[in-house]
Amino acid sequence: MQLKQMDMNLFLVLEAIYSQRNLTRAAEQLHITQPAVSNALARLRRTLDDPLFTRTPAGMQPTPLTERIMPSVRQALALLGGSLSEQRLFDPATEEKTLRLSMNDMAETLLLPRLLERLQKLAPDISVESYYVPRDQLVKELSANTLDFGLDIPLVSATHLHQQRLVNDRYLCMLRVDHPLADRARLTLDEYLQLEHIHVSSRRSGPGLVDIALNKLGRRRSIKLRVQHYRVAPLVVLRTDLALTVPASLADQYPARLFELPFQIPQMDWHLLWHKNQHEDPANKWLRGQLMDLFVP
């Protein structure tokens, strides 16, 4: 088989099925019907003389041949997409686009007010959609171009993504200003552990960074409240005697008493994530430049 005999659109279908592991979702990604995806897969199977995917309860699983050729297919598609993107002019003042971001509620609180203020001035026709995509789905959505950027921790194994660190944030202990311990110059570890704490986690159970660090010291804190979002936790602190261990960038927004932690925990490391196939796209370039600029100290 020679390359000139191949319908290059078939490789788009191959990549979509590989990314989605599902014919229906691949069709949605490509904006075509599922029968069209099935017909394209049948043509690819005949051309390459390989099943390419096998149907399993977990979805369409790639064969060894598919795994072997996909890096080259994706590289070729990315190069082609980049070449086409370079031909398209981008004017933020007139561009009509929806910017799709994945981030948690704390990132929304820190980023969206400043981002929308900037877009209103520089790119008034760009709208924004923000929602949280679980980490195990993030690479897939970025690859499928159903998402432009993610704000999350570094994803070490995500070889198809570009990643740029935005902020490295330390944690502080937050108390209300008239808390019985608010007049201390600092908190000792014993005083910290005497407090009742708020734990923020999207999971129903399991320890966080604070608890893991304390466990290494053979200590344990008392958790009085477990909530999903950082945004609500400081409001509880301001009305109760509960303590909250919170990133400094969020803590600074509230009229509260802040203490350095009396033990060491890793800082919060946020990265901007985007797929390599969007790296040379003019709109993506401009938008990620704006996002990075918002986090410059």
Side-chain angles (χ1 to χ4, degrees), residues 56-69:
T56 73
M60 301 292 286
Q61 296 301 311
T63 65
L65 175 65
T66 303
E67 292 284 11
R68 192 162 62 249
I69 67 174

Side-chain angles (χ1 to χ4, degrees), residues 90 92 99 111 114-115 118-119 121-123 126 149 166 272 283-296:
F90 173 74
L99 170 61
L111 176 64
R114 293 181 295 153
L115 174 62
R118 178 170 293 206
L119 291 180
K121 296 175 182 178
L122 302 179
I126 293 182
F149 300 100
L166 296 178
L272 183 68
N284 188 282
K285 277 185 175 181
W286 186 84
L287 286 166
R288 70 176 181 261
Q290 301 306 308
L291 292 167
M292 292 175 188
D293 190 46
L294 290 174
F295 284 89
V296 174

